[in-house]
Amino acid sequence: MFFDLDPSLLLILLVFGFLAAFIDSVVGGGGLIALPALLFTGLPPAAAVATNKLAGTVGSLTSTIMFYRSGKVELKSIYKLFPLTFIGSMIGAWTVHLMNPEVLKPLMLVMLAAVAIYTIFKKNLGTISVKKELSIRHSIIFVVLIFAIGFYDGFIGPGTGSFLIFAYLMMGFDFLKAAGNAKFLNFGSNIAALIMFMVLGQVNYAYGIPMGIAQLAGAICGSRFAIKRGSSYVRALFILVTFLLLAKNAYDYFHH
């Protein structure tokens, strides 16, 4: 099925798949690169979103393994939260068929703007890991937030990695550990949405598998680069990608 692909089309899938995973493995936002590339190949929007989930699942699993091997993933908290993003995302992916995802766009823009501004002005955010003991009220808020981000990933998607990292930063994690834990949860939301899209028959495997292979390579390179460069590098990239996400989605929303 891959041999029928036009070579220039295959090149687009491989190059943009690699770039998407490189960025996504560190701070999220890979969909900003991969989704437009898939739409450019001529896939219908629903199929592009579903196919992006296939490639993104490969990328997020790879970077999760990389971060875990370097000790940047805290399994103790992850195994409790993983089902939340998984179930939330599956419900979100199913809901796409019932209502228009555009309804969440304004809320997403406000949230991205808030995340970007807060991260810029709070200079020490994520520079060192100072775990906070959460009160019951804050624990409930955090759990609801993680579920909501999972739902959002299945429903729309762009910015999920950024929102998950930000949730961990607010818990007192440094940028690298926040990125590692967020990747694991993002893998949960990716695979849940992918399963739902596969059941609904919307995944284009001929495009998704080559892009997934490229994402595997991109995730390895991106994770290694982040782990080597440290939290200050991740912080700068996080702010840049959040602003790009904000600009791209604001443009799409107001020029619709």
Side-chain angles (χ1 to χ4, degrees):
M1 88 183 136
F2 311 120
F3 303 109
D4 300 336
L5 281 181
D6 181 86
S8 58
L9 200 64
L10 187 60
L11 186 65
I12 288 168
L13 294 170
L14 294 175
V15 169
F16 285 96
F18 180 89
L19 285 173
F22 188 94
I23 299 291
D24 202 71
S25 65
V26 190
V27 291
L32 185 70
I33 298 165
L35 199 52
L38 286 165
L39 287 167
F40 179 77
T41 64
L43 286 183
V49 170
T51 305
N52 180 45
K53 276 283 172 269
L54 171 59
T57 299
V58 175
S60 58
L61 175 61
T62 308
S63 46
T64 296
I65 292 166
M66 297 294 293
F67 276 110
Y68 176 70
R69 284 173 60 189
S70 72
K72 303 297 179 191
V73 176
E74 198 176 88
L75 286 179
K76 195 166 57 137
S77 71
I78 287 291
Y79 79 88
K80 297 173 190 165
L81 298 171
F82 189 88
L84 292 172
T85 54
F86 187 93
I87 296 163
S89 181
M90 197 164 262
I91 295 168
W94 181 67
T95 310
V96 169
H97 282 264
L98 305 180
M99 58 191 283
N100 190 343
E102 294 292 317
V103 295
L104 278 188
K105 283 272 175 81
L107 178 64
M108 175 186 67
L109 293 175
V110 171
M111 286 166 64
L112 278 171
V115 165
I117 292 163
Y118 188 89
T119 309
I120 287 169
F121 287 103
K122 189 117 169 112
K123 290 280 193 293
N124 62 345
L125 182 72
T127 49
I128 50 168
S129 195
V130 189
K131 283 283 301 300
K132 298 172 185 173
E133 283 302 315
L134 296 183
S135 64
I136 292 171
R137 189 170 73 90
H138 282 113
S139 295
I140 292 167
I141 291 169
F142 184 70
V143 162
V144 170
L145 182 63
I146 294 296
F147 177 82
I149 294 170
F151 175 88
Y152 168 82
D153 193 26
F155 194 66
I156 299 184
T160 300
S162 304
F163 292 140
L164 284 169
I165 287 173
F166 192 70
Y168 270 104
L169 291 174
M170 300 310 288
M171 286 267 291
F173 284 71
D174 65 40
F175 264 101
L176 262 184
K177 281 199 170 156
N181 284 288
K183 264 295 127 219
F184 207 132
L185 294 184
N186 204 181
F187 167 67
S189 63
N190 272 339
I191 197 147
L194 174 62
I195 291 165
M196 182 58 74
F197 287 132
M198 285 167 82
V199 169
L200 296 167
Q202 291 186 321
V203 180
N204 185 312
Y205 296 96
Y207 288 20
I209 292 173
M211 189 178 245
I213 292 166
Q215 289 222 7
L216 191 145
I220 290 171
C221 295
S223 306
R224 277 189 177 154
F225 198 63
I227 292 159
K228 205 164 109 182
R229 296 296 288 271
S231 278
S232 57
Y233 160 75
V234 179
R235 181 182 191 274
L237 194 61
F238 178 78
I239 292 168
L240 175 67
V241 169
T242 305
F243 268 111
L244 286 173
L245 271 165
L246 184 59
K248 165 81 171 63
N249 287 289
Y251 180 84
D252 289 349
Y253 181 69
F254 292 113
H255 287 78
H256 201 61

